[in-house]
Amino acid sequence: EAQVTQNPRYLITVTGKKLTVTCSQNMNHEYMSWYRQDPGLGLRQIYYSMNVEVTDKGDVPEGYKVSRKEKRNFPLILESPSPNQTSLYFCASRKTSGRIGEQYFGPGTRLTVT
Amino acid sequence: RKEVEQDPGPFNVPEGATVAFNCTYSNSASQSFFWYRQDCRKEPKLLMSVYSSGNEDGRFTAQLNRASQYISLLIRDSKLSDSATYLCVVNDPDSWGKFQFGAGTQVVVTP
């Protein structure tokens, strides 16, 4: 089954404790992206990657890091989480060939930073 | 000013009725537009891409108005299962990788 998976699905942590949210896709997509969703603000793009070893900032990259060492994986790293990073996080992937098309989203990770 | 704006609703629609709503975007050079559907904070799923000439998919019709910089979504013969939040998505014209999402329009279809 074609899918994007994220782990963990739920996480409660404390300020300053480094964490990683994993994202993996099995569709051989070149493009992957991370978004956060907050009430009233919609999804905001954190980082994206057009292919392996190629990453770029989205609109809200501060406080986050990413890496793209393999095509299928795109982990999101919070080196020193703060309460304002409490949010619902989505990973997405899509093909880069042809017309810009559908992004496939993972199920989301609910992060609470206390 | 937000780059992509939507009326948050909710739009309360009787079953079988038609509902339509718009999304405005600020960058006139934008080329790619999409409507996604999101159920109760679950993952967004593509409903339809929006093409210049307008397009229809069953009961759903999307239109693009470049002069006024908005896209629209019309749902005919609304079903209870159409209750969801509809997200407008616009691709950044300067980067194929960047996307702006609207905050969503909530539609509630009632029996």
Side-chain angles (χ1 to χ4, degrees):
Chain A
E1 181 191 353
Q3 59 182 357
V4 178
T5 56
Q6 295 180 226
N7 282 292
R9 294 288 313 280
Y10 303 90
L11 179 60
I12 300 174
T13 190
V14 296
T15 299
K17 186 176 181 183
K18 181 179 179 179
L19 66 93
T20 299
V21 184
T22 64
C23 173
S24 183
Q25 49 95 5
N26 63 1
M27 294 169 280
N28 202 36
H29 287 165
E30 296 84 6
Y31 174 93
M32 297 184 75
S33 183
W34 276 104
Y35 299 89
R36 61 177 288 174
Q37 185 173 31
D38 302 289
L41 294 178
L43 276 80
R44 292 180 292 166
Q45 196 169 24
I46 303 171
Y47 270 96
Y48 64 95
S49 169
M50 298 295 283
N51 214 324
V52 176
E53 302 290 2
V54 181
T55 61
D56 279 294
K57 296 178 181 178
D59 291 324
V60 289
E62 295 78 19
Y64 305 94
K65 285 175 59 177
V66 292
S67 67
R68 188 87 184 275
K69 293 185 171 60
E70 306 166 279
K71 199 172 189 179
R72 65 182 292 124
N73 296 323
F74 191 43
L76 179 69
I77 303 154
L78 285 73
E79 295 265 4
S80 183
S82 62
N84 65 12
Q85 293 178 298
T86 292
S87 189
L88 176 59
Y89 290 86
F90 289 105
C91 178
S93 74
R94 66 170 175 87
K95 295 187 302 182
T96 53
S97 57
R99 185 187 289 222
I100 293 177
E102 179 174 6
Q103 291 190 67
Y104 295 84
F105 285 82
T109 295
R110 289 190 182 275
L111 173 65
T112 301
V113 183
T114 61
Chain B
R1 181 188 170 191
K2 289 182 182 177
E3 297 196 37
V4 178
E5 296 205 59
Q6 297 183 247
D7 182 340
F11 285 66
N12 293 296
V13 186
E15 198 173 4
T18 296
V19 62
F21 41 89
N22 296 336
C23 161
T24 59
Y25 60 95
S26 60
N27 192 330
S28 60
S30 296
Q31 296 291 327
S32 299
F33 309 89
F34 310 88
W35 284 105
Y36 277 73
R37 170 193 169 125
Q38 186 176 30
D39 294 294
C40 236
R41 305 282 275 177
K42 292 191 175 179
E43 71 271 26
K45 294 184 179 177
L46 181 69
L47 179 66
M48 55 200 304
S49 302
V50 185
Y51 303 124
S52 297
S53 54
N55 47 303
E56 190 174 305
D57 183 1
R59 298 181 293 106
F60 298 85
T61 300
Q63 297 277 356
L64 167 63
N65 185 317
R66 286 197 182 277
S68 301
Q69 292 181 217
Y70 73 86
I71 63 172
S72 64
L73 182 66
L74 182 145
I75 307 173
R76 276 185 297 277
D77 187 23
S78 297
K79 312 290 185 193
L80 296 176
S81 57
D82 294 333
S83 296
T85 297
Y86 292 85
L87 307 177
C88 170
V89 184
V90 180
N91 180 230
D92 186 321
D94 296 324
S95 169
W96 278 37
K98 292 188 76 173
F99 294 85
Q100 278 79 42
F101 282 67
T105 295
Q106 185 184 8
V107 172
V108 179
V109 182
T110 54

